[in-house]
Structure formats: C-alpha cells, structure tokens
Amino acid sequence: MKTNTILTGDRPTGKLHIGHYLGSLKNRVKLQNEGKYKMFVMIADMQAFTDNARNPEKVRNSLIQVALDYLSVGIDPSKTNILVQSQIPALNELTMYYLDLVSVSRLERNPTVKSEIQQKSFGQSIPAGFLTYPVSQTADITAFKADTVPVGDDQEPMMEQAREIVRTFNNTYNVDTLVEPQGVFPPKGQGRLPGIDGNAKMSKSLGNCIYLSDPADVVTKKVMSMYTDPDHIHVEDPGKIEGNTVFTYLDAFGTDTEKIAELKAQYQAGGLGDVKVKRYLNDVLQEILEPIRNRRAEYEKDIPGVYDILKKGSDNANIVANQTLTEVRKAIGVNYFD
C-alpha cells in the first residue's frame, strides 16, 4: 500500500495566530494522527529572507516561536519531521536546476506573486529571491517527493507552477523522477479568518491577530474590542450577522451549533448586546487556547531541546532530499564522478 507524503510549512516572520490554526495547523495535526502519511513540516526561513534579508534577527527569533507554536498545537516530532529549510542544502541545488526551466515572464504572471508584490509595495525593487520563490517552493516539495501539499486557497497558482516545473523537468530529461503535487485546501469558509478589526484578512503586519501564545487576559481584551455591527448601538436594536466578526469567529470555532443559532436569532431580532456575545466567544476561544498555552509553557522550559527537535527533523529530511538530488543529477547527467 502506497504511503502518501505531505509537505507543508510556514515562513518564520512572527508568531502564529488563530487564523493559522483554523486554516492549516488544526488540519496538520489531524492528518498526522491519521497515520496514513509521511509528514514533513518545514519552517521556511529562506523564503522569509526573500523580503527580510536585512533583518535576519527577525527571522531567527521567529523561527523558535514558530517551532513552539507547532509543538504546542500538537505537531508530534515522533510522527512528523519538523525541519528548517536553510539546513537542507539540496534544496538550493534543486532550485538552481529548476530556475533554468522557468521564464521570468512566467514568474511575473503568477497571480499569487503579483498579489504579494503589490501588498509589499516593492515597486521596481523586487528582490530576485522573492520573484523566484515559486521555484524554491517547488524544490521544497519535490525534494521530499510530496504528492500532497496542504495550502491556503490563495496558493493554487503556486501549486500549478510547481506541477508545470515537474512536467517540464520530467519531459526534458525523459524521466519520471519528480512527483506532481496536489494541493489540499481548507474547507470552504475556513481558508481565511478576518482580523479582529473587521479587515478581510488577519495579518501580523496589520496587528489585528489573536496569537496562539497570547495570555488569557490578552485574548479577552482582544475579543472584547472586536468589530461587530456598527449600527447595533443599543441592546434592543436588531443587529446584523453578515460581516460581524464575532459571529464569523463563532461559526469557525464554536461547536455548539444550536447555541450559536439561538444567539444569532436573538441578535437579529434585537435584545442581545455585543458584550454578551463576545463573552461567549471568549469562553469558546479560551477553551481551545488553554491547552495550547499549557503545552507551550512546558516546551519553553527547554529551548535547547526544541532546537534538538529541529535538528533531528532536519537530519532526517536531509537523507530524503539528498536521495532526490542524486536522482536529479543522474537525470540531467551531472553525476560526473559516480
């Protein structure tokens, strides 16, 4: 029976938030515990450097925070290889080979890259590494022969470009060395969580996040400040559910659907204040976050031990990536001394 291989991960540019938990982390733990997959979870520090090269401390400090977030949500190093991208030298060589199979114009047309270039306001000063990171991402995926890649719903253009590179490589060298990956996307409505300010996206750069590591009192403060219906001024006023961030979060995180339906009906009819709904949401989130905070506190007592976990995962990953690199060199014909 074939075992599927999963590669997924995050750029270390700050602590992870509940949007990450909803969109990817929760599902990673589920997939890990199903026992059907060989799992690689990568902290993509080299991708983080594409727009943080002049601030290496940010990436270095964030790396351990992301590792703690992984461990605290239940990613288990005995079941999953947690690795650091920069510690896998084969990825760099694979990227160089793939770059020669992709045109600059094709990279510039990638919708995900175009969108992120606009968001980051690079103008004409786009770092070359940023423009080519779809190729680097393809190296990451193919190094581990991952056929299953859990990603956000905005990453389909990246997956399509990865498949193009795989097909081009295999066709050019008349081999079947590389595996075409398929994206696995979050359930509809769970791909992107709005920020607590009502902004369409929860984002570290916008400062509208609830972090997995936030203390209980900070979570409460953030929930109580959340955007609701601006026209719902008095308790007796009918309120809107659509675009109301509190109810969006309840739909995403709440398990008592009957209770949530009652709150919605009462809110829409009038007679239910924002504070009461926010208090209920706070209870829901605290129940989810408390065990995560507790596990994190345990791992924080032994940071060298966390680095050991990353080293062991990276060592295991190197064995797999080096084998793929050997096959790629043979396909191209640059295994001169074998």
Side-chain angles (χ1 to χ4, degrees):
M1 181 176 164
K2 181 178 179 289
T3 300
N4 292 82
T5 300
I6 285 177
L7 175 79
T8 185
D10 299 277
R11 287 162 35 104
T13 55
K15 295 178 178 181
L16 301 182
H17 52 66
I18 60 172
H20 295 116
Y21 178 77
L22 183 72
S24 60
L25 298 175
K26 183 180 177 182
N27 192 46
R28 288 180 203 173
V29 175
K30 176 178 173 287
L31 293 169
Q32 163 196 272
N33 293 338
E34 285 176 0
K36 299 177 185 175
Y37 303 93
K38 187 173 184 181
M39 293 272 296
F40 294 92
V41 177
M42 185 175 73
I43 304 179
D45 58 332
M46 291 173 69
Q47 280 193 20
F49 280 125
T50 60
D51 55 338
N52 290 283
R54 290 170 176 78
N55 190 6
E57 278 306 302
K58 176 184 176 182
V59 177
R60 181 177 176 83
N61 293 338
S62 296
L63 183 136
I64 196 65
Q65 297 301 328
V66 170
L68 287 166
D69 285 327
Y70 284 170
L71 296 166
S72 68
V73 299
I75 293 177
D76 183 346
S78 70
K79 299 176 181 177
T80 296
N81 287 287
I82 306 174
L83 60 129
V84 180
Q85 186 182 31
S86 63
Q87 304 307 299
I88 317 297
L91 301 179
N92 300 310
E93 189 171 338
L94 289 172
T95 299
M96 289 303 298
Y97 294 140
Y98 299 166
L99 279 169
D100 295 325
L101 302 175
V102 184
S103 68
V104 172
S105 63
R106 175 63 183 91
L107 289 168
E108 289 175 336
R109 288 198 310 272
N110 185 305
T112 305
V113 174
K114 284 172 70 174
S115 173
E116 293 191 11
I117 285 172
Q118 287 178 339
Q119 287 173 15
K120 295 178 187 298
S121 302
F122 283 137
Q124 294 300 307
S125 303
I126 305 164
F130 190 87
L131 183 64
T132 61
Y133 87 78
V135 184
S136 168
Q137 193 171 66
T138 303
D140 301 334
I141 295 167
T142 58
F144 305 106
K145 299 198 172 176
D147 51 16
T148 307
V149 185
V151 288
D153 50 16
D154 61 338
Q155 292 294 303
E156 175 54 31
M158 304 292 279
M159 297 306 302
E160 182 53 39
Q161 185 141 35
R163 287 189 288 270
E164 285 178 17
I165 293 171
V166 166
R167 289 193 289 267
T168 302
F169 182 93
N170 287 344
N171 291 336
T172 299
Y173 302 109
N174 196 27
V175 293
D176 59 0
T177 302
L178 302 184
V179 175
E180 282 197 38
Q182 297 299 320
V184 177
F185 303 95
K188 191 171 182 182
Q190 292 189 15
R192 178 159 291 181
L193 196 68
I196 60 173
D197 57 357
N199 190 290
K201 182 181 180 183
M202 179 175 281
S203 164
K204 290 173 276 193
S205 60
L206 295 175
N208 59 0
C209 305
I210 295 174
Y211 293 99
L212 295 170
S213 54
D214 278 342
D217 61 329
V218 173
V219 173
T220 300
K221 185 177 179 181
K222 289 181 177 180
V223 170
M224 299 311 289
S225 71
M226 281 176 69
Y227 178 85
T228 57
D229 174 5
D231 297 322
H232 186 243
I233 299 167
H234 305 106
V235 171
E236 61 272 16
D237 294 338
K240 294 192 200 73
I241 301 301
E242 299 76 20
N244 188 320
T245 308
V246 176
F247 282 102
T248 303
Y249 279 39
L250 281 176
D251 285 337
F253 294 102
T255 55
D256 189 341
T257 52
E258 195 173 314
K259 167 80 169 175
I260 294 169
E262 287 176 7
L263 289 172
K264 285 181 176 179
Q266 192 178 353
Y267 192 83
Q268 288 173 310
L272 178 61
D274 289 331
V275 170
K276 186 173 180 179
V277 187
K278 288 178 177 179
R279 283 177 179 158
Y280 178 66
L281 173 61
N282 184 57
D283 290 342
V284 168
L285 292 179
Q286 298 289 5
E287 187 175 352
I288 294 169
L289 293 173
E290 184 177 9
I292 293 173
R293 282 192 295 260
N294 291 342
R295 278 193 295 267
R296 185 188 181 93
E298 288 303 308
Y299 281 110
E300 283 178 331
K301 294 175 183 175
D302 183 16
I303 295 300
V306 176
Y307 277 111
D308 285 344
I309 289 169
L310 297 180
K311 184 178 187 306
K312 187 177 293 184
S314 299
D315 288 345
N316 292 337
N318 267 314
I319 294 170
V320 178
N322 287 337
Q323 175 58 38
T324 300
L325 179 59
T326 297
E327 294 172 20
V328 165
R329 286 174 173 171
K330 182 179 178 182
I332 298 172
V334 294
N335 54 338
Y336 306 117
F337 309 123
D338 289 352

